[in-house]
Amino acid sequence: PHKVLMFGFGFFILISVSAYVANLAAFLTQSGLETNYDTMKKVIDNNVPICCHPALEEEIRQKWPNGKWVVSNDGFDGMFEAYARGDCKVLAVGREDTIMDRNI
């Protein structure tokens, strides 16, 4: 019984390591699935649709009038739903929206 148990455990380890290596290889060979935009200029030059909160609309359209803006009147929920639907590829949020409040 001991040899059978060790054989089963060894087989399990072999399958687990093989699955991990295959998954890692698949992950490392993927390229170009997502584009990283680090500036608004790159986003606007590539004509990428941008979701923004309605409170930012006037200010953001003044600063970047050539942007392809998608504005939802439902606030953050509408903005995130438009992103999830694929209406836009980039979310424009303020710095205050992305920093955690440390006083909580």
Side-chain angles (χ1 to χ4, degrees), residues 36-47:
N36 184 16
Y37 298 106
D38 53 353
T39 66
M40 286 297 288
K41 180 173 177 12
K42 287 182 184 178
V43 174
I44 292 171
D45 289 347
N46 289 316
N47 202 29

Side-chain angles (χ1 to χ4, degrees), residues 49-67:
I50 310 162
C51 286
C52 78
H53 193 279
L56 299 174
E57 182 178 11
E58 184 178 336
E59 180 181 347
I60 214 162
R61 283 189 192 270
Q62 286 177 358
K63 184 152 182 146
W64 296 287
N66 297 329

Side-chain angles (χ1 to χ4, degrees), residues 14-86:
L14 177 70
I15 297 298
S16 298
V17 170
S18 298
Y20 171 76
V21 170
N23 189 24
L24 180 62
F27 176 75
L28 292 176
T29 57
Q30 292 177 349
S31 65
L33 295 179
E34 290 187 23
T35 306
N36 184 16
Y37 298 106
D38 53 353
T39 66
M40 286 297 288
K41 180 173 177 12
K42 287 182 184 178
V43 174
I44 292 171
D45 289 347
N46 289 316
N47 202 29
V48 176
I50 310 162
C51 286
C52 78
H53 193 279
L56 299 174
E57 182 178 11
E58 184 178 336
E59 180 181 347
I60 214 162
R61 283 189 192 270
Q62 286 177 358
K63 184 152 182 146
W64 296 287
N66 297 329
K68 189 175 178 183
W69 300 104
V70 177
V71 181
S72 172
N73 292 329
D74 296 334
F76 280 110
D77 291 337
M79 183 175 75
F80 292 128
E81 287 172 10
Y83 181 77
R85 281 192 310 266

